[in-house]
Amino acid sequence: MKANKIPLHAIIPTSLLGIALCATVPAIGWKKQIISKDFVTEGVAATDIDGDGVLDLVAGHLWYKGPDYTTAVKFRPGQIYPIVDYAKDSFLTFAEDVDGNKTNDIIMVGWPGKEISLYPNPGKTDGDWEKHVIITEASTESPIWIDVTGDGKKEIVCMSQGCFGYYSADWSVVTKPWTFTAVSAKRSDSPYVHGLGAGDLNGDGKTDIVEKDGWYEQPATLPGEWKYHELSQKCSGGSQMLVHDFDQDGDNDIVTSLDGHGYGLGWYENAGKDKGFAMTYHEILSTDGTKKSADGLQFSQLHALATGDFDQDGRMDFVTGKRFWAHADKDPGSLDPALTVVFYNRKPSEGKSGIDWQSSVIEQDGGVGCDVLAIDMNRDGKLDVAVGSKKGIFILRQ
């Protein structure tokens, strides 16, 4: 395939080399594999497509055969987009055995507010797979594929008709239109709402739903009313909102970017049951683009985040980066290098509470799309990072 030309402003200045590489961050080396420089998707998925026990990579209308990812197989109609455009039919991708026939299928999330399609795996490597539109309106920029109801089956969390909620399949016929369950009143008329997450925030074992301004507490039994809790830090909304016990005090916290097309990154510390699960905001990167962090880092357009224990120390880290040219060159800092960054979760020094987040730039011409994967692609026991974006398709390996 013909590669997109890389604009001159994407060339990395030598002054940036070594940015934010703290002495206390472990010396983990990273090697980049460029699979394609074509812009075909804003989010990849990793799964075994052909049943050989090796992870393949799904990107747009193609899947790349592992473990070397040099062979591309077309499974549906698609195209290469110019970087001034959007990957209209592939903002995010999920891949799993949805229909229960022991082969992994593909769920393609398209333009915000438009359709989500299921492509059941036909068990062959040639020809287009059959497309089934399972959702006709999936709003928000970063829908989530997660088990909300606790039945062992995953739902798609997003918005519909302005309400937050989730779509469920009829598991006897998964290709039928999925059913939406709202958990909120109408919140917005826009399909482009940023910031969405899911996880247990009140310790009852049930999955709650998080959005940029607050979170919805799952009731004791479904159906039922989801109680809303406001967050203290108001923001434009970023991307995936990560729910995990980051400070290891027994309750789940939230990590989120504050503006997917601007600046800002932080985490909410959960005060726990005794204090009503109050969330205290702590800044990691300022919303002021002129202010750098303590380790000298600042960048914009943090449009995707993913958790992973990258250094295997038992504390959950996360990876993020710049969504390069998300709105072409119209966003703050859009012409700056497309950094990919791991934030290592460090226990603070004695006498201090919270988390000492230490950043490490692992790629200076990569970034993220609308999604980023933290996954062990070659099953060597170390987490890698996989990205599909306007910079192309690539894997960063430890």
Side-chain angles (χ1 to χ4, degrees), residues 108-124:
M108 195 62 60
V109 181
W111 189 270
K114 303 296 183 182
E115 66 186 37
I116 294 181
S117 299
L118 170 65
Y119 293 85
N121 189 335
K124 58 182 182 179

Side-chain angles (χ1 to χ4, degrees), residues 228-270:
Y228 182 64
H229 305 261
E230 280 196 347
L231 292 173
S232 58
Q233 177 74 18
K234 302 302 179 184
C235 64
S236 298
S239 57
Q240 290 80 15
M241 302 179 73
L242 310 178
V243 178
H244 185 80
D245 184 8
F246 289 101
D247 58 4
Q248 298 187 334
D249 66 350
D251 46 52
N252 284 333
D253 313 295
I254 302 169
V255 167
T256 181
S257 60
L258 301 188
D259 189 342
H261 299 283
Y263 294 93
L265 175 69
W267 72 287
Y268 289 91
E269 181 181 3
N270 192 335

Side-chain angles (χ1 to χ4, degrees), residues 70-315:
T70 58
T71 301
V73 181
K74 175 177 166 292
F75 73 93
R76 66 169 177 86
Q79 68 178 88
I80 299 170
Y81 292 94
I83 64 168
V84 294
D85 201 351
Y86 302 92
K88 298 182 178 69
D89 60 355
S90 183
F91 269 63
L92 290 93
T93 308
F94 310 127
E96 202 165 308
D97 181 9
V98 181
D99 58 13
N101 71 347
K102 309 302 181 184
T103 59
N104 289 316
D105 313 304
I106 296 171
I107 296 175
M108 195 62 60
V109 181
W111 189 270
K114 303 296 183 182
E115 66 186 37
I116 294 181
S117 299
L118 170 65
Y119 293 85
N121 189 335
K124 58 182 182 179
T125 58
D126 60 328
D128 289 347
W129 298 12
E130 188 174 356
K131 175 182 177 180
H132 300 271
V133 178
I134 54 174
I135 297 170
T136 55
E137 185 213 344
S139 297
T140 70
E141 295 261 338
S142 303
I144 301 170
W145 175 238
I146 191 173
D147 181 8
V148 174
T149 61
D151 64 353
K153 302 285 190 179
K154 290 183 179 180
E155 288 81 31
I156 294 177
V157 180
C158 58
M159 296 180 78
S160 180
Q161 297 184 20
C163 302
F164 286 97
Y166 56 91
Y167 280 97
S168 305
D170 177 346
W171 292 103
S172 63
V173 189
V174 295
T175 55
K176 291 169 54 178
W178 291 22
T179 302
F180 185 73
T181 300
V183 306
S184 76
K186 187 173 182 179
R187 296 282 289 166
S188 176
D189 289 317
S190 172
Y192 307 113
V193 173
H194 290 63
L196 190 62
D200 180 13
L201 287 173
N202 62 347
D204 64 356
K206 299 179 182 298
T207 299
D208 308 307
I209 293 176
V210 188
E211 48 108 332
K212 68 183 183 67
D213 294 324
W215 60 281
Y216 300 90
E217 178 183 337
Q218 184 171 159
T221 57
L222 293 173
E225 181 180 354
W226 292 60
K227 183 180 178 181
Y228 182 64
H229 305 261
E230 280 196 347
L231 292 173
S232 58
Q233 177 74 18
K234 302 302 179 184
C235 64
S236 298
S239 57
Q240 290 80 15
M241 302 179 73
L242 310 178
V243 178
H244 185 80
D245 184 8
F246 289 101
D247 58 4
Q248 298 187 334
D249 66 350
D251 46 52
N252 284 333
D253 313 295
I254 302 169
V255 167
T256 181
S257 60
L258 301 188
D259 189 342
H261 299 283
Y263 294 93
L265 175 69
W267 72 287
Y268 289 91
E269 181 181 3
N270 192 335
K273 183 176 181 180
D274 291 344
K275 296 184 179 180
F277 305 103
M279 299 285 176
T280 301
Y281 179 77
H282 303 278
E283 180 180 283
I284 302 174
L285 294 176
S286 173
T287 55
D288 182 345
T290 66
K291 293 182 179 180
K292 294 183 179 181
S293 65
D295 52 10
L297 183 68
Q298 180 61 292
F299 63 103
S300 66
Q301 298 176 280
L302 288 72
H303 212 294
L305 286 82
T307 55
D309 184 3
F310 288 95
D311 55 358
Q312 301 180 15
D313 68 347
R315 296 177 69 89

Side-chain angles (χ1 to χ4, degrees), residues 6 38 93 109 177 197-198 228 241 252 266 272 289 299 323 332 341 348 350-351 354 369 391 394:
I6 305 299
D38 295 328
T93 308
V109 181
Y228 182 64
M241 302 179 73
N252 284 333
F299 63 103
R323 183 184 168 201
V341 185
E350 189 172 350
K391 285 288 186 180
F394 60 92

